[in-house]
Amino acid sequence: TVARSCLPQFNLDGLWVGKYGDHGYEMINITYSGDTLIAYKVTGDKNVPKGEVSFQVDLTMELQQQQAQNNNILQPIELSEDATRQWGTKHLERFSGKGQVAAEGFVNNQWLEGQLILVGDYFSFAWVPLGHQVFFGRPSAELTLKMLNASKEQGGAKKQES
């Protein structure tokens, strides 16, 4: 709908890059299935490989209203005056989600509580129990090609090792 297209949480489709701690920079592709935001890994790591879901967030208005009734809704993060000047907003909207984690080799994969946080033209996703947060930005065309080529080369090297 037209109203939905005005909500920033519904306009995150496409490629994003974020630094996944020691795993380095990884690329995700955000798509939507109804009101659920799904972040698929375009490049992966030894724990959660490419093609798997990194995180997902249910943005259903009914869910948000239900959480509000139960006083379980995530309140926006209030920024300091300096941060407000930097980001051009006093509050950062956030939404409950689930982030996937796994042991090396995509073993014992599980979903942990997470939060999607909107930060201007960027966003972050936090795996709450781990205290791990990844900030995402849009990649340039050059960076996209570089990361896709590196991912392809790593995939080829793994096949030769097998």
Side-chain angles (χ1 to χ4, degrees), residues 21-61:
D22 295 339
H23 297 281
Y25 289 93
E26 294 187 33
M27 185 177 294
I28 60 169
N29 183 34
I30 291 189
T31 62
Y32 293 89
S33 177
D35 287 343
T36 301
L37 176 153
I38 305 169
Y40 291 96
K41 285 201 169 187
V42 175
T43 60
D45 56 50
K46 60 188 177 193
N47 299 75
V48 180
K50 68 180 174 182
E52 295 295 336
V53 174
S54 184
F55 57 88
Q56 57 188 32
V57 181
D58 185 345
L59 299 167
T60 312
M61 289 304 175

Side-chain angles (χ1 to χ4, degrees), residues 34-102:
D35 287 343
T36 301
L37 176 153
I38 305 169
Y40 291 96
K41 285 201 169 187
V42 175
T43 60
D45 56 50
K46 60 188 177 193
N47 299 75
V48 180
K50 68 180 174 182
E52 295 295 336
V53 174
S54 184
F55 57 88
Q56 57 188 32
V57 181
D58 185 345
L59 299 167
T60 312
M61 289 304 175
E62 292 82 26
L63 177 66
Q64 304 297 323
Q65 290 168 346
Q66 184 180 25
Q67 289 175 335
Q69 288 172 352
N70 297 335
N71 288 327
N72 197 22
I73 195 165
L74 291 173
Q75 296 300 317
I77 297 169
E78 189 169 332
L79 299 178
S80 69
E81 285 184 32
D82 287 343
T84 296
R85 278 193 295 278
Q86 179 181 351
W87 295 107
T89 185
K90 181 77 174 155
H91 297 95
L92 302 179
E93 294 295 322
R94 56 187 175 152
F95 303 88
S96 296
K98 298 183 294 188
Q100 187 165 211
V101 296

Side-chain angles (χ1 to χ4, degrees), residues 15-16 96 116 119 129 141:
L15 299 176
W16 295 84
S96 296
L116 173 78
V119 188

